[in-house]
Amino acid sequence: MSNAELSNVASNQEIQESNTTLIKAIKDYLANKDYKFYVAASATVILAGLGLYFFWTPKPPKSKPPKSSTRSKKPKIPKQTETRDRGVRNREEDAEVEEFEKYSTEQITALPREKRVTASKLLKDRGNLAFGQKNYQKATKLYSQAIAFNQDDPIFYSNRAACYYNTKEYSKVIDDCNSALEMDPCYVKALNRRAMAYEETARYEESLHDFTAACIIGEFKNESAATSIDRLLKKVASIKAKEIIKNRKKRLPSTKFISSYLDAFWKEPIDQTAEVNSGLENTDSAQLSDPDSENHADKLFDSAERFVQQQRYEEAMNAYGKAINLGCANMAKALNMRGTFTNLMGDSRSALADFQKALDLKPDYVQIYVKRATIYTEQGDIDEAWKEFDKAIKIDSKNPDIYYHRGQIHFLHNDFDMAVEDYQRRIELDPDFIFAHIQLAISQYKSGAVEDGLKTFQRGLKKFSRSAEMHNYYGELLADQRRIDEAIEQFDKAHELQTGNFALPLVNKAMLCFHVKGDSNLAEEYCRQALELDPESDIANTIMCEILLAKGNLEEALQCLEKYQEVARTEAELQGLLEYAEAARSNIAFKSRYSQFADRLAPTAR
């Protein structure tokens, strides 16, 4: 039921209708997380993507009303006669309405029902005229009297709610809309007006649910409602994200995430003098907890290094912290590593403090400048990031870290030609770093040098023939060219070669099954296998949610999102997830309130 079918109150006060659908409002997060060269970490591997989210169902064009084959001719009425008759009728109606305005409850009750209904419509029409003239007090009085004559018409309550909204009496708006919706739960104008009042009174989730209902019942034609949904998704998600970040205990991201980050840096030469007789393999927890043991601080540092090698990152962070407190010999490295872990937990402020202390001890510590550059990039201070890279180059122009991570920033800003130059320089300095080859191929491809990108991948496959990552990302570029069978072959090879928790080949297969082959069941199975390998994979969780939503399983999709939001690293990442979660939650609420329209939820999931 469209808005136009329900009431004719001053159209310039109404929410305008257009062709924007709810699909856009609840798909923004996925659209941003699609295969557009997904970023695993700001300073590490940027995973290549396909851009496969081109399947949203377009809204069909509005159909034109059929032309009538015959036209009925009305007898012409002389203009003067028509004007005179209309004037007489208006004067008679005005006089009658003025009388109706004075009727007491007893007088109204004494009238027959047919007369009461006729009087209520006359009062409503005069209320509409007053509303159009922005005489809201007069309009309110007329609508109230119309209600006194006829309490069974939801339009009267909705129209009076429009008056109250303009006089900022939002609680009365909500009360009147509640009354209208009790009589007609599908009354779109009442839903919109109550949603607006809820938003004005900071009841954002209730507002979101009402706008969602209005949009779906209105068949996705209301542009203003869709825009309001998008605004409220962001507002609700922002409020919840800030609250979650404020109250939750800071934690490290997934093991895979940290390993990818650390692997993106050149391995520092080991200080042999500090490692002699360190007893790494023989150091036990009792020794580490004994502050009186010989070289306790240095043993803590050595144990932290071992924990990093074993991917026991939380233990490593704690051991570095204790080593710093006790004054270990490798203080600059310990501060660097603690700052790194602190930054990965989302505390860039404390990380920068540790990095500065490390530079005070070792001013030529190039890796610190590079890491500070990545933090400034995340904070949006790109000018400061470039300054850090310039400082690093002045200290050691042959340090490969500089060029790889500077290339990443060029890549993120779509400056692919500059990215190509930096990745090539990294390869010259360190030809065995696989991800420089991958990023070079992707940058060439993205810059339009498609053949160069493919050739770089082919050379990479010869050099790193046992690399699951090389096969996977080559498969992504093949898929982008719609060479689907060849892409799947590469994903299968990547999955066969992976030895840890590299879940992307399975995720990529799930994407192709879902979007290209239309097999949602097999796509779901691949996603479940990916999540068994890496339960904290954000892209696997996101694609699984999309599949579940498309299959109509809103509740499980929401559970999937809620599980992943526990490990979201930054407030921005968490807000994006919460936007999608709130959209799913709003659709679940709609399905509960309006089961008769459940079939209309399907377009929002495709």
Side-chain angles (χ1 to χ4, degrees):
M1 184 179 297
S2 68
N3 288 348
E5 295 174 303
L6 297 174
S7 178
N8 59 353
V9 178
S11 60
N12 63 332
Q13 298 293 325
E14 300 305 323
I15 297 177
Q16 299 175 351
E17 295 184 345
S18 76
N19 293 332
T20 300
T21 71
L22 182 63
I23 296 172
K24 177 183 179 297
I26 73 168
K27 283 296 186 178
D28 281 348
Y29 177 65
L30 271 179
N32 292 332
K33 295 286 283 187
D34 68 10
Y35 270 20
K36 296 173 182 174
F37 296 82
Y38 172 76
V39 183
S42 64
T44 180
V45 184
I46 300 178
L47 307 182
L50 302 177
L52 292 181
Y53 283 98
F54 53 86
F55 300 93
W56 310 141
T57 305
K59 187 179 181 301
K62 291 183 177 179
S63 59
K64 295 182 179 180
K67 293 182 179 180
S68 175
S69 57
T70 60
R71 293 185 180 179
S72 59
K73 294 185 178 180
K74 296 182 179 180
K76 292 185 178 180
I77 300 174
K79 188 173 182 181
Q80 291 180 345
T81 302
E82 184 180 6
T83 303
R84 182 176 64 250
D85 291 346
R86 186 168 57 246
V88 171
R89 286 197 303 271
N90 288 342
R91 285 194 297 273
E92 290 175 351
E93 287 180 2
D94 286 343
E96 195 172 16
V97 169
E98 288 177 6
E99 285 299 314
F100 290 146
E101 287 184 63
K102 301 173 184 176
Y103 269 42
S104 66
T105 303
E106 291 77 12
Q107 289 174 301
I108 294 171
T109 305
L111 293 173
R113 174 166 176 74
E114 184 178 349
K115 183 67 173 178
R116 293 200 306 271
V117 170
T118 300
S120 68
K121 290 180 179 178
L122 289 172
L123 288 161
K124 184 264 290 183
D125 290 342
R126 287 300 180 269
N128 289 353
L129 289 174
F131 186 94
Q133 296 166 356
K134 298 185 179 181
N135 188 346
Y136 301 121
Q137 290 183 340
K138 177 67 173 176
T140 299
K141 181 180 178 182
L142 286 162
Y143 292 140
S144 297
Q145 190 69 348
I147 291 169
F149 275 86
N150 180 11
Q151 294 86 28
D152 299 328
D153 193 328
I155 292 176
F156 302 163
Y157 294 93
S158 180
N159 288 4
R160 189 171 66 177
C163 295
Y164 287 140
Y165 186 84
N166 281 280
T167 55
K168 302 185 186 304
E169 297 174 86
Y170 301 120
S171 63
K172 292 183 179 180
V173 176
I174 294 168
D175 289 341
D176 269 355
C177 288
N178 287 342
S179 297
L181 290 165
E182 284 177 10
M183 288 179 265
D184 182 0
C186 299
Y187 193 170
V188 173
K189 283 186 177 179
L191 284 166
N192 276 322
R193 287 171 180 150
R194 188 172 69 178
M196 293 161 63
Y198 278 149
E199 185 173 5
E200 291 290 346
T201 53
R203 296 166 68 174
Y204 299 122
E205 289 182 68
E206 292 166 284
S207 177
L208 175 60
H209 292 175
D210 272 356
F211 275 128
T212 299
C215 202
I216 296 174
I217 294 171
E219 297 180 332
F220 312 106
K221 296 175 183 177
N222 192 319
E223 180 179 5
S224 182
T227 301
S228 296
I229 289 169
D230 188 54
R231 180 181 65 253
L232 284 161
L233 283 173
K234 288 179 170 57
K235 185 173 289 186
V236 172
S238 176
I239 292 170
K240 289 190 174 183
K242 291 181 187 300
E243 191 67 20
I244 290 171
I245 292 292
K246 177 183 176 182
N247 294 325
R248 80 176 178 185
K249 180 181 178 182
K250 291 187 181 297
R251 55 177 289 176
L252 288 168
S254 70
T255 299
K256 178 65 176 177
F257 187 103
I258 299 172
S259 297
S260 295
Y261 185 91
L262 296 179
D263 288 344
F265 288 91
W266 193 40
K267 303 305 180 206
E268 296 182 49
I270 297 175
D271 184 350
Q272 297 294 337
T273 60
E275 298 295 338
V276 174
N277 296 323
S278 63
L280 288 181
E281 298 303 324
N282 298 318
T283 303
D284 57 27
S285 58
Q287 288 176 297
L288 292 179
S289 61
D290 180 9
D292 296 324
S293 63
E294 186 178 357
N295 300 321
H296 181 59
D298 291 337
K299 286 183 177 180
L300 282 166
F301 174 85
D302 294 339
S303 294
E305 295 280 278
R306 180 185 64 188
F307 290 143
V308 169
Q309 293 170 14
Q310 297 172 345
Q311 297 186 347
R312 295 159 61 184
Y313 295 123
E314 188 166 353
E315 292 169 274
M317 181 178 66
N318 292 334
Y320 281 126
K322 292 176 182 177
I324 290 168
N325 292 338
L326 293 175
C328 65
N330 288 288
M331 183 64 76
K333 172 69 180 293
L335 287 163
N336 173 24
M337 293 305 296
R338 186 176 72 174
T340 297
F341 287 124
T342 302
N343 182 45
L344 291 175
M345 291 174 68
D347 187 357
S348 59
R349 188 179 207 178
S350 297
L352 288 171
D354 271 350
F355 290 157
Q356 185 57 55
K357 291 175 184 176
L359 287 176
D360 291 341
L361 295 169
K362 188 179 179 182
D364 61 351
Y365 206 156
V366 170
Q367 192 178 110
I368 297 290
Y369 292 104
V370 173
K371 288 180 179 177
R372 290 206 307 191
T374 66
I375 290 177
Y376 293 139
T377 301
E378 282 189 339
Q379 294 176 342
D381 193 349
I382 191 66
D383 291 336
E384 200 62 35
W386 295 137
K387 291 177 184 178
E388 294 298 304
F389 283 121
D390 290 341
K391 293 174 187 176
I393 290 171
K394 287 180 181 178
I395 294 169
D396 182 4
S397 62
K398 294 184 178 181
N399 187 299
D401 282 344
I402 300 169
Y403 304 99
Y404 180 72
H405 293 283
R406 191 173 67 177
Q408 298 293 76
I409 296 177
H410 285 308
F411 186 99
L412 291 171
H413 287 82
N414 296 322
D415 190 350
F416 301 117
D417 291 335
M418 294 298 293
V420 165
E421 291 184 16
D422 275 340
Y423 295 139
Q424 287 174 333
R425 180 60 173 154
R426 169 67 197 247
I427 292 170
E428 289 173 9
L429 295 169
D430 181 14
D432 294 327
F433 182 53
I434 184 173
F435 289 109
H437 294 267
I438 292 172
Q439 286 301 111
L440 173 61
I442 296 169
S443 297
Q444 290 170 326
Y445 186 90
K446 290 278 284 183
S447 70
V450 173
E451 290 302 317
D452 289 344
L454 293 172
K455 287 178 182 178
T456 298
F457 260 122
Q458 289 159 5
R459 288 193 296 269
L461 287 169
K462 291 180 180 178
K463 183 176 178 64
F464 306 100
S465 61
R466 304 294 298 172
S467 165
E469 289 85 355
M470 186 65 74
H471 284 280
N472 176 75
Y473 300 133
Y474 181 49
E476 291 192 359
L477 261 64
L478 292 173
D480 192 53
Q481 294 190 311
R482 306 299 182 262
R483 294 159 64 179
I484 304 303
D485 291 338
E486 294 174 77
I488 289 177
E489 184 180 340
Q490 292 297 320
F491 296 146
D492 285 338
K493 185 66 175 177
H495 181 56
E496 176 189 328
L497 291 172
Q498 76 88 25
T499 57
N501 58 348
F502 186 50
L504 268 177
L506 289 168
V507 175
N508 287 332
K509 289 180 69 175
M511 287 289 294
L512 291 179
C513 285
F514 184 57
H515 284 305
V516 178
K517 298 189 174 183
D519 191 340
S520 60
N521 291 328
L522 186 56
E524 182 178 346
E525 177 58 29
Y526 283 137
C527 262
R528 293 196 186 280
Q529 292 178 25
L531 289 168
E532 287 177 9
L533 275 179
D534 185 4
E536 296 183 350
S537 168
D538 55 354
I539 192 166
N541 275 287
T542 301
I543 301 306
M544 176 63 89
C545 290
E546 185 201 359
I547 293 169
L548 293 171
L549 185 60
K551 295 176 74 173
N553 195 339
L554 295 171
E555 290 78 6
E556 190 175 353
L558 182 58
Q559 289 174 6
C560 190
L561 280 166
E562 288 174 340
K563 178 182 176 183
Y564 178 60
Q565 72 189 40
E566 295 174 5
V567 298
R569 189 172 72 93
T570 66
E571 184 177 320
E573 182 183 359
L574 178 59
Q575 180 172 336
L577 286 164
L578 286 169
E579 284 179 32
Y580 191 28
E582 289 304 317
R585 192 173 287 113
S586 188
N587 278 268
I588 290 169
F590 175 83
K591 188 169 70 170
S592 175
R593 290 163 61 187
Y594 299 96
S595 58
Q596 71 270 37
F597 292 112
D599 61 319
R600 294 189 185 179
L601 287 172
T604 70
R606 286 197 291 266

